Amino acid sequence: MTKTNQTLGEFIIGHQESFKYSSGELSRLINSIRLAAKVVNHEVNKAGLVDIVGEVGETNVQGEDQKKLDVYANEKFIQTLINREIVCGIASEENDNYITIQGHNEKHNNKYVVLMDPLDGSSNIDVNVSVGTIFSIYRRVTPIGQPVEMEDFLQPGNQQVAAGYIIYGTSTMLVYSTGHGVNGFTLNPAIGTYYLSHPNMKIPEEGQIYSINEGNYVHFPQGVKDYIKYCQLEDEENGKTPYTARYIGSLVSDFHRNLIKGGIYIYPKSSKANNGKLRLLYECNPMAFLAEQAGGKASNGFHRILDIKPSELHERVPFFCGSTKMVEKAEKMMAEAER
Ligand code: P6P
């Protein structure tokens, strides 16, 4: 993967054709996400130094303690998106209901809706482990007026026009796709510019890394247990060596490593959580979009994630995502266990 010194701005200008029919609005939307990410990155990077870490004393719709950075990131992304007058609605993990945005023209005819997890993996903030922002972008379906939940927000993932994440790790990266492949941009914090460091990212078809919280093993369905055993199998005759277990507890970080090295991330259903933990609209759909754009696969163990018709804003689905052959092997074992 050749690194380049092309900036994100130059890349977007050079790829206007991939934003066709958007008259530049989608590129402006990506740019607003880029700007908000720089602001959030600045706070995440000094989280240990100022009184912004720790719990704000409220809980979000998931019933999880909201860490101050969660709230801060949510406010920054929402504020930036509203200011740019490009979206007509926003849904966030941190908000029970979606937000509608009244444009200056009062017609609410801004073209896009954004769904996001403003700071995923936030339980890692206090222990200095990388976290991320995940976003998913759709063109609105209703022609004008305030966006409507069913038509505009509860669209299947195969209708996304763009999706991506920002990973606040050893370096800060923006990784996104508009349906024409996946590209990664690394922030130079000294000058606040993103550079195209990972052009045309492709996930290896096969990998040696599996990412799952094995602490829940006893609660997993039999097919998942069978697949974990397969990952650990030593079978010299068939050239199978045990895979490597890597699980950070931060979806964006586990996904990003597996995207580069090959691997599978699994958050299955269990006897403790009948639909798993991850949310379809602003975690699984955007990551599935990226996985497929990079040549990988994403399913709920049986069906393609992007074809699932959402029924509610914060619904959860089981999630198997990564190298195509690994996801297909897991699906096969899930099906065999169901027989
Ligand atoms: P568990 C973070 O809360 C998250 O949504 C993902 O980023 C992460 O992969 C998963 O949950 C971790 O969940 O139950 O293994 O701690």
Side-chain angles (χ1 to χ4, degrees):
M1 193 175 297
T2 52
K3 297 185 185 298
T4 79
N5 61 2
Q6 187 179 29
T7 68
L8 175 57
E10 290 162 346
F11 177 85
I12 287 177
I13 290 166
H15 288 74
Q16 285 297 352
E17 76 285 352
S18 66
F19 296 102
K20 62 178 185 293
Y21 316 129
S22 70
S23 63
E25 284 174 316
L26 186 55
S27 53
R28 280 174 48 221
L29 177 44
I30 298 287
N31 269 317
S32 63
I33 290 170
R34 166 184 72 160
L35 175 64
K38 271 200 282 193
V39 174
V40 171
N41 174 64
H42 181 68
E43 292 305 319
V44 168
N45 281 348
K46 63 179 188 178
L49 301 174
V50 296
D51 179 32
I52 195 165
V53 178
E55 308 195 351
V56 76
E58 296 162 18
T59 58
N60 61 21
V61 66
Q62 321 300 331
E64 296 163 346
D65 290 340
Q66 275 191 298
K67 303 236 181 242
K68 287 181 179 176
L69 266 180
D70 273 356
V71 178
Y72 176 83
N74 195 44
E75 289 167 1
K76 281 301 160 198
F77 277 99
I78 289 173
Q79 178 189 348
T80 306
L81 289 169
I82 289 176
N83 293 347
R84 288 293 181 97
E85 281 264 310
I86 307 162
V87 301
C88 61
I90 302 170
S92 168
E93 183 199 27
E94 301 300 337
N95 297 75
D96 300 1
N97 299 308
Y98 62 89
I99 299 164
T100 61
I101 295 154
Q102 178 144 344
H104 288 313
N105 58 18
E106 310 244 323
K107 289 182 183 165
H108 279 289
N109 62 352
N110 291 339
K111 194 179 293 181
Y112 297 102
V113 295
V114 174
L115 300 98
M116 66 176 177
D117 184 353
L119 207 60
D120 180 74
S122 55
S123 56
N124 289 305
I125 293 169
D126 295 347
V127 294
N128 204 11
V129 169
S130 54
V131 293
T133 297
I134 308 172
F135 61 91
S136 171
I137 302 172
Y138 292 84
R139 199 168 283 110
R140 69 177 299 169
V141 174
T142 54
I144 200 162
Q146 296 213 3
V148 174
E149 180 166 341
M150 182 56 71
E151 286 85 350
D152 295 315
F153 288 95
L154 301 183
Q155 300 185 53
N158 56 36
Q159 295 302 303
Q160 290 175 99
V161 294
Y165 58 83
I166 296 98
I167 179 169
Y168 310 99
T170 46
S171 60
T172 295
M173 280 190 68
L174 166 62
V175 178
Y176 78 91
S177 172
T178 59
H180 302 270
V182 179
N183 292 284
F185 300 82
T186 300
L187 178 65
N188 177 342
I191 54 175
T193 302
Y194 291 88
Y195 288 92
L196 177 60
S197 53
H198 296 69
N200 193 26
M201 300 180 82
K202 291 295 178 193
I203 188 168
E205 195 181 32
E206 184 65 86
Q208 301 285 314
I209 296 171
Y210 71 106
S211 307
I212 185 169
N213 185 341
E214 293 187 64
N216 295 322
Y217 182 86
V218 295
H219 303 293
F220 287 154
Q222 189 55 45
V224 174
K225 292 179 178 176
D226 294 344
Y227 184 69
I228 290 172
K229 288 283 178 244
Y230 171 78
C231 290
Q232 297 166 347
L233 178 68
E234 173 96 70
D235 179 357
E236 285 183 24
E237 199 174 310
N238 292 301
K240 166 83 176 56
T241 56
Y243 293 167
T244 297
R246 285 285 184 274
Y247 190 73
I248 298 176
S250 172
L251 168 62
V252 170
S253 307
D254 282 316
F255 179 93
H256 186 72
R257 181 203 51 246
N258 293 351
L259 171 61
I260 292 171
K261 297 193 168 191
I264 184 171
Y265 172 99
I266 302 175
Y267 208 106
K269 74 174 190 178
S270 70
S271 52
K272 293 194 305 183
N274 196 40
N275 288 311
K277 176 182 182 184
L278 300 189
R279 276 72 66 169
L280 172 60
L281 285 175
Y282 40 78
E283 290 178 322
C284 300
N285 271 339
M287 296 318 236
F289 184 79
L290 291 171
E292 292 195 2
Q293 285 292 315
K297 190 165 186 181
S299 83
N300 63 2
F302 302 96
H303 306 292
R304 184 184 181 226
I305 286 287
L306 296 184
D307 290 339
I308 297 174
K309 177 68 178 84
S311 52
E312 57 180 33
L313 217 44
H314 300 288
E315 77 177 76
R316 302 172 193 266
V317 289
F319 194 50
F320 297 66
C321 181
S323 295
T324 296
K325 287 193 173 174
M326 299 180 84
V327 174
E328 288 175 346
K329 180 69 176 177
E331 288 172 332
K332 183 169 182 283
M333 301 189 98
M334 293 294 284
E336 285 166 356
E338 293 284 306
R339 282 196 196 114

